[in-house]
Amino acid sequence: MSTAPDPASSTPPAAPARGRGRKGAERREALLDAAEEVLVAEGGPEWTMRAVAAAAGVRLGHLQYYFPTHADLVAAVLERVLRRSAERLAPLLSADADTPGAAAAVVTTLLAEQEDARLMRLFVEVWALAARDTTVAAAVRGFYGDYRTQVTAFLTRRHPDLPEETRRARAGVFVMLIEGASLFRSEVAGERDPATDETLIRTALALLGP
């Protein structure tokens, strides 16, 4: 597999685009920026249409022009968050797997992203939404399914001799390891320390193979 799966395949269909044209697109992105800020700062329970409109400095009706319902807003924010993450992953995992240091580059880049406190808080809130909303949960499962497929493809290029079942299993554990580490390394449920990071990196590299 020479390229990663289409990042859009893991995200829900966005709400119908409104305000077409450059200015409309810019206003829509500004509203999504505000929605993300409210989600990160206040959390899901306070993530209302009125709160987002207030954060964006617009009337509620203006927000509803672009996102008629709360579900439309949730779908658009989720689509953008997961698409950005998929776009970051794709070049890492579609690179030449035989290049010296390729596996180390994948691991260190993914772990470096976990130092972005805002990004980690955003994902924590997305996971919390997924626990309450089946549509969000389906999109998140799709994202992580594509993530695992990309890691499997990376392993296939590195170790074509391994059975497919083994490559899939290793890829699944790799995703679990990296994503689970994000809770602790982002200080949501713990804190980073050099000795733990060293073991984490060594374990992740072992899953990708020498």
Side-chain angles (χ1 to χ4, degrees):
M1 180 172 154
S2 59
T3 58
D6 179 2
S9 67
S10 62
T11 56
R18 295 194 174 203
R20 294 183 182 279
R22 183 174 62 82
K23 287 190 178 297
E26 289 174 353
R27 289 170 183 153
R28 188 176 187 275
E29 288 300 302
L31 292 172
L32 291 175
D33 287 341
E36 285 190 16
E37 289 303 321
V38 173
L39 182 60
V40 169
E42 306 295 337
E46 304 301 322
W47 197 39
T48 65
M49 295 285 278
R50 289 188 183 279
V52 172
V58 301
R59 294 178 182 272
L60 178 61
H62 179 82
L63 176 64
Q64 290 174 321
Y65 173 77
Y66 290 90
F67 309 103
T69 69
H70 188 264
D72 293 326
L73 180 63
V74 170
V77 168
L78 182 63
E79 186 276 334
R80 194 170 73 152
V81 169
L82 296 184
R83 172 169 43 82
R84 284 197 307 247
S85 189
E87 287 171 350
R88 288 192 296 268
L89 281 171
L92 289 173
L93 295 171
S94 62
D96 187 349
D98 291 328
T99 300
V106 169
V107 173
T108 55
T109 302
L110 290 173
L111 294 183
E113 284 195 347
Q114 295 176 1
E115 296 175 13
D116 183 340
R118 183 186 180 282
L119 178 62
M120 291 301 100
R121 178 64 186 272
L122 192 57
F123 264 93
V124 167
E125 293 299 335
V126 166
W127 292 332
L129 285 171
R132 300 190 297 269
D133 187 309
T134 56
T135 300
V136 175
V140 171
R141 283 195 300 272
F143 168 76
Y144 284 113
D146 280 355
Y147 185 174
R148 181 177 182 176
T149 296
Q150 292 178 62
V151 176
T152 301
F154 184 82
L155 279 168
T156 298
R157 296 193 300 277
R158 281 179 71 81
H159 302 289
D161 54 312
L162 287 176
E164 173 66 15
E165 183 178 355
T166 300
R167 294 194 299 265
R168 286 278 300 166
R170 281 196 186 186
V173 175
F174 179 86
V175 173
M176 292 176 191
L177 178 68
I178 296 296
E179 294 304 295
S182 68
L183 287 172
F184 292 89
R185 298 184 75 255
S186 64
E187 301 183 2
V188 172
E191 58 184 25
R192 294 192 300 273
D193 71 78
T196 301
D197 272 2
E198 182 181 347
T199 301
L200 172 64
I201 293 168
R202 187 166 59 247
T203 304
L205 288 174
L207 288 167
L208 296 181

